[in-house]
Amino acid sequence: MNLTAAAAGLLLVLLSAGLLLGLSLLKRKSKASFRDIPAFTRLQKAIGTAVEDGTRLHFSLGRSDLVTPRSAASFATLGMLRRIAEVTSASDRPPVATSGDAALAILTQDTLQAAYQAAGAGQQYRPTTGRLTGLTPFAYAAGALSVIRDENVSANILAGGFGVEVALLTDAAERENAFALAAADDLAAQAVLYASAQEPLIGEELYAAGAYVQAGPTHTASLHVQDILRWLIVLVMLGGAAMKLVGVL
Amino acid sequence: MRRLFAPAIAIAIGLVVLLGYFLPDYTTIAELRIQIVHWAVILAGVAVLVGVFNLFFVHIEKIRKKQKGSVYSLLLIAALFATFILGLALGPDHSIMRSLFDAVILPVETSLMAILAVTLVYASMRLTRRRSDLMAIIFIITALIILLGTAPLPLFEIPMVGDIIHAWIVNVPAAAGARGILLGVALGTLMTGLRILFGADRPYGGK
């Protein structure tokens, strides 16, 4: 990495960190208002229905390797898993989380255990609710398919590092008449989800999930920071285009 | 004690890796970053073993409770043991191990790929029923144009579609949209990383 790119990257990280810290402290007590994303509204209803009916929630976190940047999508879903597992800890059937990466499967177990302990229901935690279903894309999908079909699942949250194989999961959810909220970090998977999922999340909506399920003030603050940074990028792009137009660049 | 140590170690290592990324390769922090990433790769390898045990126990429980599909669980465990023992005895490069891959895993994954193609056609047919808005119509028309522009047609090429319309869609609206989505994903990735670095999100457990 050359010096200019490194300096610009470091500056962006420091600016984002400063904004995140500042906004987390400033907006700690104020009530956040977000634009309406119907998928999250329906997710809340589906969670309520699952708890009342005694059916199961299924989280699918994808198969992103934890040592690559793609893991961020799965980390964002872990935040949502933690919050929803806490809320549904009183349910008869605990949520099941499947993943296609071994290290991610360990993190899902840890997250579920922490959620149950935080809700004061630590004894209800079962290690087999955080599962590794396969290590290749289709092996993972095939393993997750059996969870959707056989384990009385009424709501599926498929969010993380997926490829096009995610369509097999959304199709299975539809055949079981189960709710499916789906999001991926990969462009091809997002296109597939737009066509096949009941409630697809496009682009950065996946990373907003924590704020929409009230996972904490930092999640809300990070949404505000993303908005500020987006405007900055728009201004830089417009400025660059204008400079190019007048011949400065 | 774990509640204090786990976040402290995670945050310290996260900071070293982040700083090491921006510093030149010969600095101590950058060298440390490379070392830590190597450790992470080794740990990920060990995690596979833990994951296989997890898979084993999930299916043992399924068999024990005689749940739906427990026959397949039995088959999976038998195949797991057979492959594991054969792999230990013969090594992964042995012809039997290779033919196991070529004769079982490859055809199964190829079949799933074929099912996926059918699933996607079916999903696009259902799209207008699920979402009958302008965006759904644009999505289907665009997909059709790209298909017609890319697929080798047997008798003739449709005029303008392959060379002009297809190229314009791919290079202008699709490229612009993709870049916009990728910028959003990059910002989301950055904020997710920072939340973990600050200890606000703790995917490694703890309250």
Side-chain angles (χ1 to χ4, degrees):
Chain A
M1 193 190 296
N2 67 46
L3 199 65
T4 320
L10 194 59
L11 190 72
L12 179 70
V13 171
L14 289 175
L15 174 71
S16 311
L19 283 169
L20 182 64
L21 272 178
L23 287 172
S24 297
L25 293 172
L26 278 175
K27 303 219 169 197
R28 187 169 283 267
K29 289 188 178 163
S30 60
K31 196 175 183 310
S33 60
F34 308 115
R35 78 179 162 92
D36 181 47
I37 299 180
F40 288 118
T41 315
R42 288 184 196 124
L43 172 67
Q44 302 282 5
K45 281 184 193 161
I47 292 168
T49 311
V51 174
E52 279 174 23
D53 293 353
T55 50
R56 210 186 279 280
L57 292 172
H58 169 224
F59 277 82
S60 200
L61 286 95
R63 49 178 180 82
S64 46
D65 191 340
L66 286 190
V67 289
T68 65
R70 284 195 73 192
S71 60
S74 300
F75 282 130
T77 313
L78 280 176
M80 186 163 47
L81 170 67
R82 162 85 190 240
R83 175 70 185 146
I84 293 175
E86 243 181 271
V87 174
T88 58
S89 60
S91 169
D92 294 339
R93 286 174 188 262
V96 170
T98 55
S99 50
D101 179 75
L104 189 59
I106 294 172
L107 289 186
T108 58
Q109 289 170 5
D110 218 14
T111 302
L112 283 167
Q113 188 175 26
Y116 278 99
Q117 281 170 354
Q123 73 286 354
Q124 288 196 36
Y125 166 70
R126 299 280 173 276
T128 50
T129 50
R131 300 175 190 173
L132 172 76
T133 56
L135 291 170
T136 64
F138 285 105
Y140 163 58
L145 279 177
S146 71
V147 175
I148 296 172
R149 285 181 181 154
D150 299 340
E151 301 208 14
N152 203 9
V153 170
S154 65
N156 295 279
I157 296 117
L158 318 167
F162 291 102
V164 289
E165 75 281 355
V166 71
L168 293 172
L169 305 184
T170 52
D171 182 62
E174 184 131 340
R175 282 171 197 273
E176 295 297 316
N177 287 321
F179 171 84
L181 178 142
D185 57 348
D186 178 66
L187 283 174
Q190 285 183 32
V192 160
L193 287 178
Y194 183 79
S196 66
Q198 266 173 27
E199 301 293 347
L201 297 177
I202 304 297
E204 73 276 16
E205 286 175 347
L206 161 64
Y207 302 92
Y212 278 83
V213 296
Q214 286 108 38
T218 327
H219 284 263
T220 314
S222 70
L223 271 194
H224 290 300
V225 179
Q226 279 180 60
D227 283 343
I228 294 168
L229 292 177
R230 193 175 298 115
W231 278 111
L232 276 177
I233 289 170
V234 168
L235 287 176
V236 168
M237 285 168 83
L238 286 176
M243 283 162 84
K244 184 107 181 165
L245 204 68
V246 294
V248 178
L249 277 180
Chain B
M1 203 54 119
R2 187 196 167 205
R3 218 184 287 169
L4 277 176
F5 273 113
I9 292 169
I11 291 167
I13 287 179
L15 281 173
V16 169
V17 172
L18 182 65
L19 276 178
Y21 183 73
F22 291 115
L23 294 174
D25 281 348
Y26 53 81
T27 55
T28 315
I29 289 185
E31 283 171 2
L32 196 58
R33 177 188 81 93
I34 294 165
Q35 194 60 45
I36 290 170
V37 171
H38 284 163
W39 288 347
V41 172
I42 295 168
L43 282 175
V46 177
V48 172
L49 202 63
V50 179
V52 170
F53 278 114
N54 169 268
L55 189 74
F56 176 76
F57 286 117
V58 166
H59 286 277
I60 284 287
E61 196 172 286
K62 243 179 156 180
I63 296 166
R64 202 170 50 81
K65 290 183 178 171
K66 291 181 181 165
Q67 286 176 357
K68 193 177 171 187
S70 54
V71 178
Y72 301 115
S73 297
L74 196 67
L75 195 66
L76 183 138
I77 286 173
L80 182 73
F81 269 110
T83 317
F84 184 69
I85 291 164
L86 276 175
L88 278 183
L90 305 171
D93 293 328
H94 194 274
S95 60
I96 293 178
M97 293 305 291
R98 284 189 181 182
S99 48
L100 263 179
F101 180 82
D102 292 340
V104 181
I105 297 172
L106 208 60
V108 168
E109 296 225 345
T110 313
S111 311
L112 281 169
M113 182 69 115
I115 292 170
L116 179 66
V118 178
T119 305
L120 284 177
V121 172
Y122 184 52
S124 50
M125 277 159 37
R126 280 186 314 203
L127 178 64
T128 46
R129 205 177 59 194
R130 200 182 301 118
R131 273 191 289 276
S132 49
D133 55 8
L134 183 65
M135 286 314 292
I137 294 164
I138 292 174
F139 183 90
I140 290 170
I141 292 172
T142 311
L144 279 175
I145 291 172
I146 297 295
L147 268 177
L148 289 173
T150 316
L153 298 175
L155 298 175
F156 60 92
E157 292 286 320
I158 303 171
M160 305 250 308
V161 169
D163 46 0
I164 298 175
I165 302 173
H166 171 269
W168 180 79
I169 289 174
V170 170
N171 293 324
V172 184
R179 282 177 193 170
I181 288 174
L182 287 176
L183 276 174
V185 169
L187 290 179
T189 303
L190 174 65
M191 298 321 297
T192 306
L194 285 174
R195 279 202 310 268
I196 293 170
L197 210 56
F198 289 157
D201 275 8
R202 295 182 189 175
Y204 39 84
K207 288 186 183 177

